[in-house]
Amino acid sequence: MSDPMGAPYGEHEHAFVRGLLSLMQVHADTVPGALPRRLVAHCLALLPVDSAGVLLIAPAAPKGRKRSGTGGAIEVAASSHETLRGMEAYQIGTAQGPCIEALRTGRPHHVADFTAHRSRWPGLALRATAAGYRAMWAEPLHHDDHAVGVLNLYRRATGALDPRDQERARALARAATTGLLLQRKLDDRRLRIDQLQQALSTRIPIEQAKGILAGRLALSPDAAFEMLRTHARAHQMRVHDLARVLVDDPTGPWPPPNGHRP
């Protein structure tokens, strides 16, 4: 028995399961953007579509970026073709199109024939047909009430995906959403660890300098820190940089002559 794409049915099912598993597997050293690119590749291999793209909602939106209804910036995370990337950016810029509707509602939206939707999205319809696309399926990447992004599938033939392929697209989107949320947790954890390490690397020389000053001048640790901070401010230095001067030359003159900088 074969599936409509011509591959033996069992082989195609196994490939589909492997695709789902690969989308849910993330690692601390995963290259940024790798998972959206994997999602695009799996869609092209497992679904009857000609192109695919992924838009993601960033956790935080820098000033001047287009924002979604969820409060985050919408970004083109992956695209199978450069012309498709331009269409995705157009939908973000105009805040119109099936992908925007999918983001807003958390439900799939599709266009069975772009030539019949010129009145609703004329700019997108013109760009799609000029690029050779006649139909589109937008599947949201959604978890509970949290929108992560949207998977956009394009076809050169008219018509919606059949029910089985709709379910496959939904399953791939759910697996990718799980992977993306896990990746973001790992990234947040790694960021917190880096911040902690940076804080420690800054704090250690300051504590060492406090001890040196306290011993040399018979001061309390608090008084030694206040002396460090006062001198640093007077000479427009960072306390950490001044502390390094003292740690590197603990028997040198104090205060450093002429507002010495490291």
Side-chain angles (χ1 to χ4, degrees), residues 68-186:
S68 73
T70 61
I74 307 174
E75 302 175 333
V76 180
S79 182
S80 59
H81 299 85
E82 193 59 35
T83 55
L84 185 61
R85 180 175 290 272
M87 289 172 55
E88 308 276 70
Y90 175 80
Q91 292 180 80
I92 295 173
T94 60
Q96 295 181 354
C99 68
I100 302 300
E101 294 299 318
L103 281 174
R104 287 173 177 165
T105 65
R107 298 191 302 272
H109 280 259
H110 76 279
V111 175
D113 187 350
F114 271 114
T115 61
H117 283 73
R118 293 187 186 277
S119 59
R120 185 174 185 186
W121 298 307
L124 176 62
L126 287 173
R127 285 167 172 78
T129 54
Y133 300 115
R134 297 291 300 275
M136 175 184 177
W137 184 276
E139 183 69 41
L141 306 180
H142 204 266
H143 179 72
D144 293 335
D145 293 330
H146 180 62
V148 177
V150 62
L151 167 65
N152 295 324
L153 305 171
Y154 294 84
R155 304 176 70 192
R156 298 191 182 280
T158 59
L161 295 174
D162 66 35
R164 190 186 73 158
D165 289 321
Q166 291 179 26
E167 188 55 40
R168 285 176 179 270
R170 190 167 297 113
L172 289 168
R174 287 173 178 168
T177 301
T178 298
L180 285 166
L181 292 176
L182 287 174
Q183 186 66 59
R184 287 181 179 180
K185 286 183 179 180
L186 284 174

Side-chain angles (χ1 to χ4, degrees), residues 31-48:
V31 177
L35 198 149
R37 290 193 293 271
R38 286 207 304 270
L39 175 57
V40 165
H42 288 316
C43 288
L44 294 180
L46 298 169
L47 297 172

Side-chain angles (χ1 to χ4, degrees), residues 9 32 47 51 65 74 91 158 166 168 175 193 206 229 251:
Y9 185 78
L47 297 172
S51 296
R65 301 284 293 278
I74 307 174
Q91 292 180 80
T158 59
Q166 291 179 26
R168 285 176 179 270
I193 291 174
I206 294 176
R229 184 167 60 180
T251 60

Side-chain angles (χ1 to χ4, degrees), residues 24-30 35 178-194:
M24 292 186 287
Q25 293 175 347
V26 297
H27 307 281
D29 58 350
T30 298
L35 198 149
T178 298
L180 285 166
L181 292 176
L182 287 174
Q183 186 66 59
R184 287 181 179 180
K185 286 183 179 180
L186 284 174
D187 291 343
D188 288 344
R189 182 178 301 174
R190 181 167 50 192
L191 177 61
R192 288 195 296 269
I193 291 174
D194 290 344

Side-chain angles (χ1 to χ4, degrees), residues 199-210 240 243-244 247:
L200 286 174
S201 65
T202 299
R203 192 67 196 175
I204 289 173
I206 294 176
E207 293 299 322
Q208 292 173 327
K210 282 168 56 177
H240 171 261
R244 289 297 317 174
V247 170

